[in-house]
Amino acid sequence: MESKIDEDNINSYNSFKVISPSSTLLSSLSSMSPPPSPVSPSRKVMKKSEETNTELPSDMLETIYKKLDFDELFQFGGVCEDWRKVHKNERENVMKSRAPLVIQTSSYAKKIYFFFSISKHEMYSTKLANFWRLSYLGFSSGSVIMENYQSDKILIMNPFIRRKIEISTRSLISYPIPSSCNVTLAFVKGTQDFIIAFLCKSNFSLDIYDSRKSSWFTYSRYGRPFMIADLVVLNHTMFFITNTAKIGELRLNRNHGKELFLELKNAPNITSSTLRLISCDGNLLVVNFRPRIFLEVYKIDMLRMEWVRLESLGDFALFLTLQRKCYTLRNPEKWGYEKNHLYYINGESAKCFVYSMENELVKSNMPYRALPASSNSKSKLYWLDWCFPNERDEIDYSIMQ
């Protein structure tokens, strides 16, 4: 049951286009075929240099590179060897400087996902091969993760570095259910090996694929031996939280025991299957949230081994979804967000709801309205997930044994 890796398969796999906010956007969404993006000055320099074989100094190349859009980054790397080196050396830093995106699609989409920047009011479209009949499971470690029921495969597709991995699901007892699935992809430190965990809330199961062993195993099923509410990677270790607010370290074996759980003081009396576990600046955060009903945020103090209730997020903002992976962002003003606020999407509409730490609805962002009733298209737009392109979770494989 080997996983198949396909790297830099640019033409058959995907392509990015930038769609500027205009009236043309609605017509492009209805046909799911975006208009050509305008040619940027940086792209003109690239084209001229490629045609004339002009050598540019490295500092100028780096300046140009930092101003390019997603698709232009890959064109830049394909000009020549010197440009390819700049692409390789600068890509990670450039991705870290980009604003968080929201993944958006349409109910009738066949090949295209949209990545929307709330702060820049720009939308990037990307074509994913074999998109039709694939079900979206989640976004983790820079990758869109989808399932093909007909071919019994999981597809892990990173549109930002153009890398695709396929995993067979034939030995799974039950398939992940898209509407209730929370996916965590983590690479083994220093390698391209990985584990991927599928937490399904509908049957309270956790299935894990280990690429080193090319095999699946079921960690829990129907809430036995305990009901897991969420997963997160921190300090190269994968942690989980149960519906009774117990926190433990995940192990890649079937031996469950009390030694997995952290002995923490001042644990709150909470029972909820929607508890969220989030990595934040080297700490674990636990969020218990229901819009306008309750909002509780706790930090797990690993030095004192205790729960600490937070009244403020300080310089951070929270980014939550209904079922899927959640994030924090330091100094969010840099990307057009507000600190000490919670940004929430529920996957059912094209809105992003902004809440204060008092759980008051501050505003809702809906930059692009759904198609008008007079439109011939039946497509309905909705947001699926937060997308942090630069995030890459890594684990220490020896710790998890």
Side-chain angles (χ1 to χ4, degrees), residues 353-369:
F353 301 93
V354 185
Y355 292 89
S356 68
M357 283 297 287
E358 289 74 35
N359 204 7
E360 295 177 355
L361 180 63
V362 178
K363 60 182 176 181
S364 61
N365 292 318
M366 192 175 179
Y368 298 115
R369 291 178 295 176

Side-chain angles (χ1 to χ4, degrees), residues 249-298:
E249 297 181 13
L250 194 71
R251 294 289 184 265
L252 297 177
N253 56 54
R254 302 175 189 272
N255 299 321
H256 303 287
K258 293 184 179 179
E259 71 278 6
L260 292 177
F261 290 98
L262 303 181
E263 296 293 335
L264 299 171
K265 297 175 290 186
N266 302 325
N269 185 17
I270 299 175
T271 300
S272 173
S273 61
T274 61
L275 290 176
R276 311 316 302 268
L277 195 59
I278 307 173
S279 170
C280 177
D281 195 33
N283 297 296
L284 287 176
L285 293 187
V286 178
V287 179
N288 187 26
F289 171 66
R290 184 171 293 178
R292 297 189 181 185
I293 298 178
F294 52 78
L295 172 57
E296 300 171 313
V297 181
Y298 298 88

Side-chain angles (χ1 to χ4, degrees), residues 66-104:
K66 292 175 182 177
K67 296 181 179 180
L68 299 178
D69 290 311
F70 291 117
D71 197 42
E72 294 173 334
L73 296 179
F74 297 102
Q75 295 182 31
F76 184 101
V79 173
C80 64
E81 185 62 30
D82 288 341
W83 290 44
R84 192 173 298 112
K85 288 180 181 178
V86 173
H87 174 61
K88 183 178 180 180
N89 295 334
E90 295 295 325
R91 181 176 63 190
E92 184 176 349
N93 290 332
V94 168
M95 295 303 291
K96 286 181 179 179
S97 68
R98 298 297 166 94
L101 305 172
V102 177
I103 302 176
Q104 187 178 52

